[in-house]
Amino acid sequence: MDVPKEQIAALLDNALFGSAQLLGSFLVSSSTVNAETSPHLKAENLILLGDALFREREYRRAIYYKKQNSATSRSSLSASNRSSSPNSFNISAINENEVKFKIASCHFALSETKVALVEMEGIPSKARNLQMSLLMAKLYRNTRHNRGAVTCYRECLRQCPYVIEAIIALAELGASAKDIILLFPQTPSRSGRAQLDHSDSSRWLQRYVEAQCCIASNDYKGGLELFAELLQRFPNNIHILLEMAKVEAIIGKIDEAVMNFEKVRSIDPYVVTYMDEYAMLLKMKSDYSKLNKLVHDLLSIDPTRPEVFVALSVLWERKDERGALSYAEKSIKIDERHIPGYIMKGNLLLSLKRPEAAVMAFRGAQELRADLRSYQGLVHSYLAFSKLKEALYAAREAMKAMPQSAKALKLVGDVHASNSGGREKAKKFYESALRLEPGYLGAALALAELHVIEGRNGDAVSLLERYLKDWADDSLHVKLAQVFAATNMLQDSLSHYQAALRINPQNEAAKKGLERLEKQMKGVDPDAPEEEEENEVEDADADQEETELL
């Protein structure tokens, strides 16, 4: 043989995939290896070249050569039936199931899920190893065959209890912690399967299962407590810190989430996972310098990840909402299961006054995994085009899914507050939310707004002032400033607008409110158009007429 195949195997073992691919081209084109006289050698060479191309992420070419191998193997089998060639016994050395798995892996990498599934279904279930079962589970889940996905994920954990991906997926698909833990191998086995040691040293895995099941069932408080317990045992564990930060972001614990994301980046500055969630929080806090740096860092780490495009969308939202929307859509195109992409898309569509399209985006997020943000998005979208019945249904669904969530109660209150006949009901829901979570500023602001609408400005002020001791929040100061301005207490209003801008210099509501207040203090009607602006409009009209004449 001109090119020893052992050499290409050695290159692959040493991760020299570029050289392996180039050497593979010599191997498959060698005139000494003929598909008719040495079909098994030809097939093995094609497999090696396909492996090299797969590792180089040239998936399309890898599929091409691996399929050539399949054709060669089939022709060699038919030839072996007709003759007892000395080489025919080696054909069995080529594992057809392994080849199908590799072809399916290439299709999966190219997001060709259905084609990959067809390849994988050609492998008998009893012949699937751990790697094959995990890919099969992902393919079933991506095509919404949840029952098949559950079966395959369960098989993964029967073979090895430490397949963390399978634990998370089963929790999200509705399995209980008890059901998952019972899948773990209980007794010693000669099959080589990983066993779970039930001593204190491995009890952490059971706690981890319980934490993921809590989060999946919207018991965010219970999940965070279990993650915090695990963090004591595994300090600075990046995965646990990220899981905690993600949940804190969902339930509105912004400062805690930001702190955990920053801790992760201090431990490992090259993490991309969940960094789009961090980007959304930085925008909420109007910390655009950190947001700019984060996006710059992510682009230099891996510009192909969906998280990077969501982060770009967050950054562009202030400058160009349509451009931001295209980035959000790109993130979904890269990964159809990327929930933050749908959330960001929904929020942008809502901002662009396209609530019907926003509903579709939030529904997309909810189909993947219903959480508080997708419910909030649905409610606000339905309210934006006066679909009160649908908004109330979505809010009640959130309340059923999260019975101990003050934010879910507030959602129902928001729907009732949207029409004058429901304000009394809205007040009860806001008060219930505050009893459940006394420090929930969102419910306090909403209740204060109701007081103002119904002329109870004094009640609104006394309610909001109770939160000033514990909350350095710009939105709280803006609301107080608005109430004081409405009651003609202009000096108090001024001090609160200034306090809001000290906390967040980018707060648009505070800037506009301060502008109006200054006019009010000068005795000018804040709603009257400025003469300068009128002159500018007239000049623009004159310019337009001149252009048309020319």
Side-chain angles (χ1 to χ4, degrees):
M1 189 185 293
D2 296 330
V3 183
K5 67 179 180 183
E6 292 79 12
Q7 295 303 318
I8 190 171
L11 290 171
L12 288 169
D13 289 342
N14 286 284
L16 302 173
F17 307 128
S19 293
Q21 180 198 141
L22 293 170
L23 186 62
S25 69
F26 287 96
L27 194 65
V28 298
S29 62
S30 172
S31 58
T32 60
V33 180
N34 188 286
E36 292 179 8
T37 58
S38 307
H40 70 287
L41 289 176
K42 187 73 175 177
E44 286 175 1
N45 294 346
L46 288 165
I47 289 172
L48 287 168
L49 177 57
D51 286 347
L53 290 164
F54 179 79
R55 300 296 184 83
E56 282 282 275
R57 297 186 179 184
E58 291 199 44
Y59 302 118
R60 200 67 73 193
R61 291 181 69 203
I63 292 167
Y64 174 72
Y65 284 105
K66 286 180 186 294
K67 284 192 172 177
Q68 276 196 31
N69 150 69
S70 296
T72 305
S73 298
R74 280 193 294 273
S75 65
S76 64
L77 278 168
S78 61
S80 67
N81 289 334
R82 293 192 300 270
S83 68
S84 55
S85 164
N87 293 321
S88 62
F89 72 95
N90 287 320
I91 295 160
S92 60
I94 297 168
N95 188 329
E96 280 294 313
N97 292 332
E98 192 67 33
V99 174
K100 285 177 183 175
F101 167 68
K102 288 175 179 177
I103 291 171
S105 298
C106 291
H107 284 299
F108 181 64
L110 292 164
S111 300
E112 295 170 353
T113 309
K114 289 181 180 176
V115 187
L117 192 56
V118 169
E119 286 290 340
M120 287 302 296
E121 284 177 337
I123 303 172
S125 57
K126 289 181 180 178
R128 289 181 204 142
N129 58 24
L130 179 58
Q131 207 175 3
M132 292 173 183
S133 293
L134 186 59
L135 177 59
M136 196 75 182
K138 290 177 180 178
L139 291 169
Y140 275 136
R141 195 175 184 198
N142 286 5
T143 52
R144 291 181 168 81
H145 289 98
N146 288 348
R147 188 176 293 179
V150 167
T151 301
C152 292
Y153 280 127
R154 287 168 67 90
E155 182 54 36
C156 289
L157 291 180
R158 285 194 188 97
Q159 293 183 51
C160 175
Y162 296 97
V163 184
I164 302 293
E165 288 173 272
I167 291 172
I168 296 170
L170 283 172
E172 290 175 350
L173 288 164
S176 69
K178 185 180 177 182
D179 288 342
I180 295 172
I181 291 165
L182 283 172
L183 293 169
F184 298 162
Q186 304 293 318
T187 54
S189 169
R190 295 178 185 177
S191 64
R193 292 182 177 185
Q195 301 301 307
L196 186 67
D197 175 11
H198 288 276
S199 65
D200 188 57
S201 61
S202 67
R203 202 162 290 149
W204 67 268
L205 187 60
Q206 296 180 37
R207 287 283 178 273
Y208 179 81
V209 172
E210 290 164 7
Q212 288 292 357
C213 288
C214 281
I215 301 303
S217 61
N218 300 308
D219 178 9
Y220 298 122
K221 185 183 175 186
L224 284 173
E225 286 173 358
L226 286 161
F227 278 134
E229 184 186 323
L230 284 165
L231 202 59
Q232 290 180 349
R233 181 156 187 166
F234 301 97
N236 296 334
N237 181 297
I238 287 170
H239 172 63
I240 294 172
L241 285 167
L242 284 170
E243 291 295 300
M244 290 179 75
K246 180 188 73 171
V247 173
E248 287 161 345
I250 289 170
I251 63 175
K253 290 191 169 185
I254 296 172
D255 292 335
E256 293 91 331
V258 166
M259 185 180 71
N260 278 325
F261 277 126
E262 287 177 350
K263 189 172 183 180
V264 166
R265 277 175 58 81
S266 70
I267 298 166
D268 182 350
Y270 298 101
V271 168
V272 177
T273 304
Y274 298 160
M275 284 300 124
D276 45 358
E277 301 275 8
Y278 180 40
M280 291 181 197
L281 296 177
L282 291 175
K283 183 188 171 292
M284 280 184 198
K285 292 177 76 69
S286 300
D287 196 338
Y288 290 103
S289 61
K290 278 188 181 176
L291 178 58
N292 265 304
K293 185 179 185 314
L294 174 66
V295 173
H296 180 270
D297 290 348
L298 293 175
L299 283 167
S300 65
I301 296 165
D302 186 354
T304 65
R305 292 275 294 270
E307 294 94 333
V308 179
F309 284 93
V310 175
L312 275 166
S313 177
V314 174
L315 181 64
W316 273 80
E317 184 180 1
R318 195 165 57 135
K319 306 171 191 173
D320 176 9
E321 285 182 330
R322 294 187 186 280
L325 181 60
S326 69
Y327 281 126
E329 287 171 337
K330 176 70 174 174
S331 75
I332 296 167
K333 197 171 181 181
I334 293 169
D335 181 0
E336 291 180 353
R337 298 190 59 78
H338 193 64
I339 292 171
Y342 290 94
I343 298 292
M344 191 66 201
K345 181 180 177 180
N347 287 332
L348 285 164
L349 288 166
L350 201 50
S351 181
L352 288 163
K353 296 185 169 46
R354 293 170 58 192
E356 294 97 331
V359 166
M360 298 298 291
F362 290 121
R363 281 278 177 223
Q366 206 167 50
E367 282 175 16
L368 294 169
R369 187 179 66 246
D371 65 27
L372 187 63
R373 292 177 303 179
S374 59
Y375 282 118
Q376 288 170 331
L378 279 173
V379 169
H380 296 148
S381 299
Y382 282 130
L383 288 177
F385 62 112
S386 303
K387 293 278 187 180
L388 296 186
K389 187 178 175 183
E390 288 83 351
L392 189 58
Y393 179 80
R396 284 174 174 166
E397 283 292 301
M399 200 169 66
K400 284 178 193 172
M402 295 165 272
Q404 294 303 309
S405 169
K407 290 171 180 64
L409 286 170
K410 179 188 173 285
L411 265 186
V412 182
D414 289 345
V415 179
H416 288 303
S418 66
N419 70 91
S420 55
R423 286 176 190 156
E424 195 56 41
K425 281 185 179 179
K427 183 184 171 190
K428 288 177 182 176
F429 275 101
Y430 291 149
E431 287 171 345
S432 295
L434 288 171
R435 278 195 297 275
L436 192 62
E437 192 181 322
Y440 181 20
L441 184 59
L445 291 170
L447 184 56
E449 180 65 25
L450 270 187
H451 287 322
V452 171
I453 290 168
E454 296 183 339
R456 297 189 300 272
N457 290 354
D459 290 346
V461 169
S462 61
L463 171 65
L464 294 173
E465 283 183 337
R466 290 206 299 269
Y467 285 83
L468 281 176
K469 298 173 186 176
D470 303 315
W471 286 87
D473 187 275
D474 51 322
S475 60
L476 174 58
H477 284 286
V478 168
K479 181 56 71 179
L480 271 165
Q482 290 168 345
V483 178
F484 281 126
T487 51
N488 217 32
M489 298 172 71
L490 304 186
Q491 201 57 46
D492 289 321
S493 178
L494 177 65
S495 68
H496 280 291
Y497 275 132
Q498 289 171 338
L501 288 169
R502 278 196 299 274
I503 295 167
N504 178 7
Q506 305 296 328
N507 190 309
E508 289 300 321
K511 286 179 186 177
K512 288 176 183 175
L514 190 58
E515 200 176 299
R516 285 172 60 84
L517 184 66
E518 285 170 351
K519 289 180 185 177
Q520 225 174 320
M521 292 174 91
K522 289 174 185 175
V524 178
D525 181 1
D527 296 316
E530 292 184 12
E531 286 181 24
E532 229 179 319
E533 288 176 352
E534 288 177 350
N535 291 338
E536 284 173 9
V537 171
E538 286 171 8
D539 290 342
D541 289 343
D543 288 345
Q544 181 66 28
E545 285 172 9
E546 285 176 8
T547 305
E548 287 171 0
L549 283 168
L550 285 168

